[in-house]
Amino acid sequence: MRKQKLHLRGFVFEGFDGLLLPDRIVALLFFLAASLFSHAVYAIDLQPGDIVAPPPDLNIVQSTYQVSKRNDFYQNNQKSATPTQLSNSQLQLRYTNTFETGTLPSVFYVQTPMGYTHPEKALSAIYKPEAGVGDTTIVYAFWPYVNREEKKYWALGAYLTLPTGHYDAANGVVNMGGNRSTYALQSGYQMPFGKDVNWMTAIDAVWFGDNQEFSANKLAPTKLTLTQSALYTLQTGLSYDINPKLTASAAYFYTVGGETARNGKAWEDETQLQRYQLSLSSKFSFGRLVLQYGADLTTKNGFIEDSRLIVRYIKAF
């Protein structure tokens, strides 16, 4: 195995061929695992057409299947030599109702995921696979501005995620639930950019509650209080209507912030993340199917996502 030295907070790690004192092994694994938790993406990805104001009195069901893999770990833009991999699979179920707030188009939806997280390579030594129900998200959004003739829309949304998911403190950060609430606000705008092209942009901010039962892994089981600063994401994208039933789109996301602290001590792990997502959406008599693929482009801290494959089914009635 190739050796590559990596300096982490005052000690040197040389992969599996190197030697570390036991307490330093614990410190290293704690840092790796804590970064895995703090840099899970909490950005609110808007899907093609999400900013278009819907008509009232619709009930919409959506099921989403998502698989992803995270591999290399980064600290301050430096890649670790430690071989790691985290595989994740989720089925997300969403129910949406559309209505009007006064005269403003509005939506309410609730979404709950279920799935599994499987730690591999070096992570398998300190974690067990986890499966179960994830945290539930409740959303209210409305459109202060709608111009259907010019196809211009401005929407505002508020998000609340409740800690309803499975959380096993003994398994550290590998859990379906986060054991804390999160709150978010988002603003999005869409307008045409040519005959069959639409441009959208959105910005969101996420605030985090405290996790008072945070531990890194079984080698560092002490429970700490995890706090996290606000996380901000800018997203922008273009969609092209190939025909009335088929749309292709591409989106770019930039996320910054979210530095964490343990028992009040800053961890110096601010997120700086760039990623992309490609989508192909098609309408059928039985509903709408969306196929998506994306990955991280760069990350400053944490595990980089090498691939994310998503299939969505949406049906309005």
Side-chain angles (χ1 to χ4, degrees):
M1 180 178 294
R2 180 174 60 92
K3 290 186 180 181
Q4 179 180 347
K5 290 187 176 182
L6 176 65
H7 294 265
L8 290 178
R9 300 188 183 278
F11 56 85
V12 178
F13 178 65
E14 297 183 348
F16 289 129
D17 295 333
L19 295 176
L20 295 175
L21 295 176
D23 60 335
R24 292 188 173 183
I25 295 177
V26 172
L28 174 64
L29 292 175
F30 183 91
F31 182 83
L32 291 174
S35 297
L36 172 64
F37 182 90
S38 62
H39 295 290
V41 177
Y42 290 97
I44 305 163
D45 295 2
L46 293 177
Q47 308 309 317
D50 274 359
I51 303 182
V52 176
D57 302 321
L58 287 179
N59 293 288
I60 305 169
V61 292
Q62 175 177 302
S63 61
T64 301
Y65 180 68
Q66 173 182 302
V67 291
S68 65
K69 287 187 179 293
R70 295 179 179 273
N71 288 309
D72 295 328
F73 172 79
Y74 286 80
Q75 182 194 6
N76 292 324
N77 297 313
Q78 299 295 315
K79 185 172 74 171
S80 169
T82 311
T84 57
Q85 182 169 296
L86 188 73
S87 300
N88 180 272
S89 177
Q90 281 192 19
L91 174 65
Q92 302 169 358
L93 301 176
R94 177 189 297 187
Y95 167 74
T96 302
N97 177 255
T98 69
F99 56 98
E100 290 184 340
T101 304
T103 59
L104 302 179
S106 305
V107 302
F108 168 86
Y109 78 70
V110 58
Q111 175 175 291
T112 298
M114 60 189 72
Y116 77 89
T117 300
H118 192 273
E120 302 171 21
K121 300 181 180 179
L123 294 178
S124 64
I126 54 176
Y127 299 115
K128 64 179 181 179
E130 281 290 336
V133 177
D135 293 337
T136 298
T137 299
I138 300 171
V139 179
Y140 167 71
F142 67 97
W143 279 255
Y145 176 76
V146 175
N147 189 326
R148 298 190 187 276
E149 292 183 357
E150 297 183 3
K151 299 182 179 180
K152 295 179 179 180
Y153 307 90
W154 173 41
L156 297 172
Y159 298 73
L160 170 63
T161 299
L162 301 173
T164 58
H166 174 71
Y167 184 79
D168 178 8
N171 205 44
V173 296
V174 179
N175 275 290
M176 288 300 298
N179 197 43
R180 59 178 179 173
S181 298
T182 64
Y183 320 86
L185 294 175
Q186 185 176 57
S187 176
Y189 181 76
Q190 178 170 312
M191 63 177 289
F193 195 72
K195 181 181 178 182
D196 297 314
V197 177
N198 290 291
W199 170 74
M200 65 77 67
T201 187
I203 187 170
D204 63 72
V206 184
W207 295 270
F208 302 89
D210 298 346
N211 179 1
Q212 297 181 348
E213 295 185 348
F214 174 82
S215 60
N217 52 64
K218 64 184 181 183
L219 298 182
T222 302
K223 291 184 180 181
L224 307 173
T225 296
L226 174 75
T227 57
Q228 187 168 7
S229 62
L231 190 69
Y232 304 95
T233 296
L234 171 69
Q235 58 184 290
T236 188
L238 293 172
S239 62
Y240 172 62
D241 295 329
I242 300 172
N243 59 51
K245 293 186 176 182
L246 186 63
T247 299
S249 63
Y252 165 82
F253 306 81
Y254 176 69
T255 301
V256 65
E259 183 178 7
T260 66
R262 283 81 173 156
N263 285 355
K265 182 179 180 180
W267 205 247
E268 300 178 6
D269 59 350
E270 179 189 37
T271 296
Q272 289 186 23
L273 173 66
Q274 299 183 72
R275 56 195 177 93
Y276 74 93
Q277 184 164 278
L278 306 175
S279 303
L280 187 65
S281 174
S282 184
K283 298 177 182 178
F284 298 91
S285 59
F286 54 83
R288 182 159 63 101
L289 288 177
V290 183
L291 180 63
Q292 298 176 300
Y293 180 83
D296 292 349
L297 295 168
T298 64
T299 189
K300 179 180 179 181
N301 290 300
F303 290 81
I304 194 163
E305 186 175 65
D306 287 334
S307 65
R308 176 186 294 191
L309 179 64
I310 305 171
V311 179
R312 303 181 191 272
Y313 170 68
I314 304 162
K315 175 65 175 179
F317 55 94

